Amino acid sequence: MIKQSDKDLAAELVKRGHLTQAVSDQLLSGIENSSKSLKDHLIENNTLSERVILEALSATLNLELIDLKKISVQKAVLDKIPVRFAWYFKFLPINISDKKLTLATSSPLNIKFQDEIRVHLGLEPKIVLAPESDILDALNKYYGLAADTVDKLSKEAEKDESSVFKTDVWIEDLEKQTDDATIGKLVNQILLEAYKQRATDIHIEPYREKVRIRYRIDGVLIDANIPPAVKELLPSVISRIKIMANLSIVERRLPQDGAAVVKTKEQDLDMRISTIPTPRGESMVIRILPVNVRLLSLERLGLDQKHLKTFRELVKRPNGIILVTGPTGSGKTTTLYACLNEINSPDRKIITLEDPIECEMEGITQIQVNPKVNMDFAAGLRSTLRHDPDIIMVGEIRDLETAEIAIRTALTGHVVFSTLHTNDAASGITRLIEMGLEPFLVASSVEAFVAQRLVRIICPKCKEEVSTPLLEIREEIAKSLSMKVKDVKIFTGRGCDYCNKTGFRGRTAIYEMLLISDNIRAAILDKQRASFIKKLAIQNGMKTLRQDGWQKVIDGITTPSEVVNITMKDEELISLKKQGIEIPKEETQKSAENKRAEKQSSENKKENVSVKVREIDPHILSSKDTHQDARTYPRVNVSLPLRYSVVRQDKDNPGKIITENVEHSSITKNISAGGVRFVSGYALRAETILELRIQLHDDERSIDCLARVCRVEEDSMSAMFSVVAYYLDLSSASRVKLDNFVKAKIKEKEQKQ
Ligand SMILES: [Zn+2]
């Protein structure tokens, strides 16, 4: 028998022109013997949209169809209706008055739940219509994310506490795949919601009174809408996540780190999980990393045209180091990935060393650095070189050893991308030298320092011009960008649903690119301070982080406070302007070229900041007092395999040194922790810089360093040359190793005698 309500609905849909009479008859006879309503049948088969059907139902049943986004529900109403009840029957309570409950549902013909409301709540239901998806969204909004699961779990916990809280029992439960509320489902809902909100991290923090769950969205922590009852479930939630990440659930007193992969409909998510013990329980941070790269390209990074062009030229150089600098969370890795994407092609071998691997990239060998098994950046870099890569990305340069190998790699004809933890581009230079690198090595290997920060993008849906912006800010912007104060327009986001009321949606980067030009190279060799180098760079035409930020402010991309929060005032720029020194403005390509030509023709003219570009001679290369006299270390006559290549000045590019590709094999005559004497078939000139590899033991990696030839003698017997060289950049670990080796050999010889 066909229900009257279905007949009415079918007639209304025909009347509205959504169905033909023939189709309508066919549909009705089709459901005649099923328990399904016409509405469910139409929706399941995608015949008509829910909205069209609801509009028709609204007419036949004389019920109002409302937009839930336009109403708000009092907390008193929500408190009266149990969460489980609302979730189970998928309705949203809207108002209670005179024992009448106004509720929104998409199934007005479901009589059962209306009876339940009468019986259990003693209220008379008054029905209004709304689409099911709107109702579920509203339930999330009002009752909190995953409220139904939490509520059910709390009830179960009351019934049988052991089933939820005793972990050994609980693991058993987890294996069961049921539709019931489980901790697993709750955890999944927390993770999925984080992903949907574009969160990069989830913070779970227990306090005395409550549990705080926060999502980091666009770099800012935002409270997740979680029912307070989660507090009771926290140990189980933490345990569940620990199991996913293969961590010990018994160990709660020590920090732990792990990883897990979860799936969403769109893609897999890689999660890095770390726990730390706190007095109120374990605190957990989950980092969410998308496994597949959303096509990262340089265009999408937020580079302006000039920066983009410079960057393109930079990443295509045949060798050298490009360092991206900035604090944690400034998007450095994203920039590196975009660089690799730009140059990734089948004829190039690219290897990365990362901790962690944030995105998997096709055609690139990615290596996870793991210090626990002695695979740190330095060790990884060394073994990477045996795989003959063209391009290497090292996640971060943290120590001298990594820096040294990175530089040697670059000098031997590779491109190296890496990151440094410094505030601006110029400080990158001083940081490397502070680590203990020779200035000439920095000057000759690094091509560019790129500093970057992330700023939030004003929400496009609620963006508006600020009517009365602070004069002070407008003046600073005008001065910084050399424009008129009245032309400075400032925008902001009012805050809407699309942006979680924050006024921002998404982030973009601001940049500062310091290219190692000749005058900067000379300043590095002179061990000049970062502020001096920054001034030079500004005169060379570098746009500072702050300036790039201001540009994005007047372009209406971000707000002044975003820029002020993360960049420093350009004291260098201000002082240059005070001195009346002309700063190059945004140049067109042509004028830049003209300028370069001009500069070359008048090379000897006095520069504003007086650093003379000079030829690097070997005396500069050998730093004055850092190398040790070999004689302060004990020396032993011993034959060890040794390889060397000659490091020479680049003819086309004075001020740069490169390593010749030929490697010569030789044998040591004597060795100490300060230097080495070896045989050579060539008469090497004194002061020549060599790259040395000394093999102390067959089964160990060689000791690699640069050395300076200080004496060459012809051996008349063998017609060979005997070369004495001092180490230049031997790491202290290698020096100790060499010294111990020599001392052991000496002892050995004494015992033989
Ligand atoms: Zn908005």
Side-chain angles (χ1 to χ4, degrees), residues 172-180 182 184-185 188 240:
E172 294 287 323
D173 281 354
L174 187 72
E175 311 245 317
K176 285 184 206 155
Q177 292 292 330
T178 63
D179 288 338
D180 291 342
T182 60
K185 189 175 167 198
N188 291 349
R240 162 72 184 160

Side-chain angles (χ1 to χ4, degrees), residues 459 461-462 495-496 498-499 503:
C459 170
K461 304 228 166 165
C462 60
C496 64
Y498 187 62
C499 57

Side-chain angles (χ1 to χ4, degrees), residues 167 170 202-208 210-213 230-231 233-243 245 247-258 273-286:
T167 43
W170 177 66
I202 305 171
H203 294 243
I204 305 175
E205 300 149 330
Y207 296 101
R208 187 197 295 269
K210 63 166 191 173
V211 172
R212 197 165 188 193
I213 299 188
V230 167
K231 182 178 187 317
L233 305 169
L234 182 73
S236 312
V237 168
I238 296 276
S239 293
R240 162 72 184 160
I241 299 172
K242 282 165 106 179
I243 289 169
L247 299 176
S248 161
I249 50 170
V250 188
E251 180 56 75
R252 297 196 183 90
R253 294 155 306 164
L254 293 174
Q256 295 188 66
D257 293 300
I273 291 137
S274 84
T275 68
I276 46 165
T278 75
R280 300 285 157 211
E282 283 174 284
S283 182
M284 184 176 263
V285 175
I286 303 168

Side-chain angles (χ1 to χ4, degrees), residues 332-505:
K332 298 183 296 252
T333 318
T334 309
T335 301
L336 290 185
Y337 277 129
C339 289
L340 294 185
N341 248 345
E342 177 92 9
I343 48 182
N344 190 7
S345 64
D347 59 327
R348 284 198 177 99
K349 175 145 181 139
I350 304 179
I351 298 184
T352 71
L353 291 158
E354 301 173 66
D355 185 20
I357 295 173
E358 299 199 9
C359 291
E360 284 174 24
M361 298 176 83
E362 197 115 337
I364 291 180
T365 311
Q366 291 174 288
I367 300 168
Q368 167 74 53
V369 167
N370 186 355
K372 278 185 203 150
V373 293
N374 281 328
M375 177 69 172
D376 54 11
F377 281 122
L381 194 46
R382 221 174 275 116
S383 44
T384 299
L385 288 174
R386 293 185 205 116
H387 285 254
D388 187 30
D390 300 298
I391 295 141
I392 300 169
M393 171 178 125
V394 187
E396 191 185 343
I397 293 184
R398 286 182 202 154
D399 51 45
L400 177 61
E401 202 183 0
T402 313
E404 280 178 336
I405 305 169
I407 284 189
R408 189 151 313 126
T409 309
L411 288 174
T412 49
H414 303 89
V415 179
V416 180
F417 291 99
S418 191
T419 68
L420 263 182
H421 219 86
T422 65
N423 280 331
D424 64 3
S427 324
I429 297 171
T430 38
R431 169 62 52 84
L432 286 178
I433 293 170
E434 277 162 20
M435 275 183 186
L437 279 183
E438 289 292 335
F440 79 87
L441 288 175
V442 177
S444 56
S445 58
V446 183
E447 296 283 347
F449 291 86
V450 179
Q452 78 171 87
R453 292 287 189 288
L454 293 176
V455 291
R456 289 184 290 169
I457 299 172
I458 299 172
C459 170
K461 304 228 166 165
C462 60
K463 178 167 142 181
E464 59 189 18
E465 195 181 335
V466 180
S467 51
T468 50
L470 272 178
L471 184 63
E472 198 189 328
I473 290 284
R474 288 169 72 203
E475 278 174 353
E476 194 195 326
I477 295 176
K479 208 176 267 177
S480 176
L481 299 181
S482 304
M483 57 193 286
K484 288 184 187 125
V485 176
K486 68 173 174 57
D487 293 336
V488 176
K489 287 198 169 64
I490 289 171
F491 296 84
T492 187
R494 200 173 51 249
C496 64
D497 280 345
Y498 187 62
C499 57
N500 272 327
K501 311 273 182 235
T502 57
F504 296 100
R505 183 145 173 130

